[in-house]
Amino acid sequence: MSVVPGTVDTEQQPPMTVPLRHFLVALGFLLAGGVVGGVLVLGGIGPITAPGWSSLAHVHLLLAGWVCVTIMGAMTQFVPVWSGVEIHSRRLATRQLQLVTVGLVGFVGGLLAGRLALVPVFGALMVVGFWVFAYNIAATIRAVGPLATLDVTERNFLIAVGFFLLLTAAGLVLAVDLVVPILRATPIDRADLVGAHATLAVFGAILTTVFGALFQLATMFTQTDLHGIDHPLRRIVSVGYPAGVVALAGGRLLGPDIAGGRLLGVGGGGLVIAGVLAMSVILARRLFEAQVPWTPMLSRYAVLAPAMALWALLTLPRWLRAPLAAETRFGAPGTAHLLGLGVIGFVVLGTVYHVVPFIVWVHRYSDRLGFEDVPMIDDLYSDRLARIDFACFLAGTLLLVVSDLLTTLSESALGGVLGSGVDVARLITTGAGLGGAAILVGVVVFCLNVVSVLRTHSPHSVRAILFGTRRSEG
């Protein structure tokens, strides 16, 4: 891509250091999550970890840290650009990251050290940071105009920040309950609240944001338009999907023992799956009709489309039978990595490969366009490194997904397919270990590639972006 698409208003974007700071911090959380995940796959995290809490720390590093902080930076950048309004408060956009970063580091540290008294304290800081973010984005979108005038992306983002408020409130209650069992005095079961919290996080805040962004990005960067069946499918995604998330979360909060809980779960789960399938068809059609050369962003979106469809088809029969069960919280048993890496991971990777070079290009080269030779946006990163991290992520995801699915089959069934002399458990463990290693290598290469864009092309140094200092002259 050589120029900025004419449908965006780059004059309204915040200072470049604001979103880029979010992305750099998110990369730090990605690296930390990759290290913790790799150690977990190898069988433990060492003497500093209280049993059972390392997995929770790993999940929060990746989802609350990498994915949600990336979402915060992306919304802060692109809501003003796409909607043609200034961000409500630049100061709050800075404070939100500080609060979430300090809160999440302390939260994860408390879990890994087994010092649970720290978890609600730092969890409260993290929650305040997310609430500041939600307020700032909601106030920015409110300036666009009445609700009826918002486009599908703006509506999805507004719904997503609502999910952020709900999931963080539930998370704070859960964090406090670790130290002071406040839920004992209520009719709410802790396991049911955990299920609702996870549903609002993954299917609510994260995927609602992803779908809203894809309606813009998938058309903009394939240079195609929605047409034909895309329009009714869009209504399923924009209306049916959020309603399904609310119903599914409500059913899981009520639990199977309260009348209406399972009915809400089945109905909500069906709408969620319909929305995911609809989005996969829309995205696949945009990619098939693409009028531009393939880029790292589109390559990763090409993994996302079939991953969404496969996850939905595997999950449908299980959610029809048991949508409230803990083992089906993130879909059918064995599909957690398919959802987390194949869907969420690849869409975040692909989007960052556009967003970071886009911001740097606009601030460094856009004013020179037409006066001198300037690089294209896709020239700012290394194609070779992009191919390497894509191969590592794809191979690692496939190995982890296959290992997960194999664990759901009985040992006798696997033995009949693979042969009686095969050590099935060792095969699964080896596959998961290799997959985790490949993902970790991909994480490192991806981070190096993105940081190299900033080091080579940004008018600000990496230190200036993170801490606000100026790049030295001369």
Side-chain angles (χ1 to χ4, degrees), residues 51-426:
W53 301 119
S54 53
S55 294
L56 188 61
H58 172 60
V59 168
H60 279 82
L61 281 170
L62 293 180
L63 294 184
W66 175 43
V67 177
C68 288
V69 172
T70 298
I71 286 174
M72 290 165 61
M75 279 202 193
T76 300
Q77 168 68 20
F78 283 112
V79 168
V81 168
W82 286 338
S83 301
V85 296
E86 290 189 3
I87 192 73
H88 176 71
S89 170
R90 295 179 178 182
R91 183 174 60 85
L92 292 181
T94 297
R95 295 293 176 264
Q96 69 192 25
L97 179 61
Q98 294 169 343
L99 289 165
V100 169
T101 301
V102 173
L104 183 56
V105 169
F107 179 90
V108 169
L111 290 174
L112 293 179
R115 299 182 63 181
L116 298 186
L118 297 176
V119 172
V121 176
F122 285 99
L125 278 180
M126 181 167 48
V127 167
V128 172
F130 281 121
W131 285 358
V132 169
F133 156 72
Y135 166 76
N136 208 22
I137 294 299
T140 303
I141 295 176
R142 185 179 61 185
V144 175
L147 185 62
T149 65
L150 301 181
D151 65 22
V152 63
T153 295
E154 291 161 345
R155 289 197 300 272
N156 265 48
F157 284 179
L158 200 56
I159 293 169
V161 298
F163 284 135
F164 268 106
L165 292 175
L166 292 175
L167 81 90
T168 50
L172 183 58
V173 171
L174 289 168
V176 172
D177 189 64
L178 286 177
V179 180
V180 181
I182 56 176
L183 289 176
R184 289 182 184 176
T186 72
I188 300 174
D189 184 78
R190 179 179 174 84
D192 294 337
L193 185 58
V194 169
H197 170 68
T199 303
L200 291 169
V202 174
F203 301 105
I206 293 174
L207 285 184
T208 302
T209 303
V210 166
F211 293 166
L214 284 176
F215 281 120
Q216 285 277 356
L217 296 174
T219 54
M220 185 183 300
F221 296 106
T222 58
Q223 294 186 12
T224 62
D225 295 313
L226 301 185
H227 63 90
I229 195 176
D230 294 329
H231 294 294
L233 291 176
R234 182 177 63 181
R235 285 192 289 273
I236 294 173
V237 177
S238 61
V239 179
Y241 179 84
V245 173
V246 173
L248 181 60
R252 288 175 169 177
L253 181 62
L254 291 175
D257 298 328
I258 297 180
R262 185 180 184 280
L263 182 61
L264 278 174
V266 171
L271 287 173
V272 167
I273 289 172
V276 173
L277 279 174
M279 192 71 243
S280 71
V281 173
I282 292 172
L283 180 58
R285 283 166 55 84
R286 297 305 96 237
L287 293 169
F288 180 76
E289 297 174 8
Q291 302 297 311
V292 297
W294 222 240
T295 65
M297 180 176 73
L298 297 183
S299 298
R300 284 149 184 81
Y301 285 4
V303 175
L304 167 64
M308 285 193 291
L310 179 59
W311 175 87
L313 293 174
L314 290 174
T315 298
L316 179 59
R318 298 305 299 262
W319 274 10
L320 290 176
R321 292 198 302 269
L324 311 184
E327 60 270 18
T328 63
R329 183 170 294 155
F330 299 113
T335 62
H337 282 112
L338 177 61
L339 178 65
L341 293 174
V343 176
I344 297 172
F346 272 93
V347 74
V348 175
L349 293 170
T351 302
V352 169
Y353 260 124
H354 163 70
V355 174
V356 171
F358 170 86
I359 296 172
V360 172
W361 187 91
V362 167
H363 285 270
R364 180 71 182 272
Y365 298 112
S366 61
D367 290 341
R368 306 181 189 180
L369 193 64
F371 299 97
E372 60 182 89
D373 289 335
V374 299
M376 297 187 294
I377 292 177
D378 294 328
D379 292 333
L380 301 191
Y381 51 77
S382 166
D383 283 333
R384 185 172 66 87
L385 291 181
R387 288 193 296 270
I388 291 172
D389 81 58
F390 177 75
C392 289
F393 267 100
L394 183 59
T397 299
L398 288 173
L399 284 168
L400 287 172
V401 169
V402 170
S403 298
D404 287 346
L405 293 175
L406 288 178
T407 60
T408 66
L409 302 176
S410 66
E411 190 168 338
S412 59
L414 287 173
V417 174
L418 301 175
S420 57
V422 176
D423 188 337
V424 175
R426 184 175 181 180

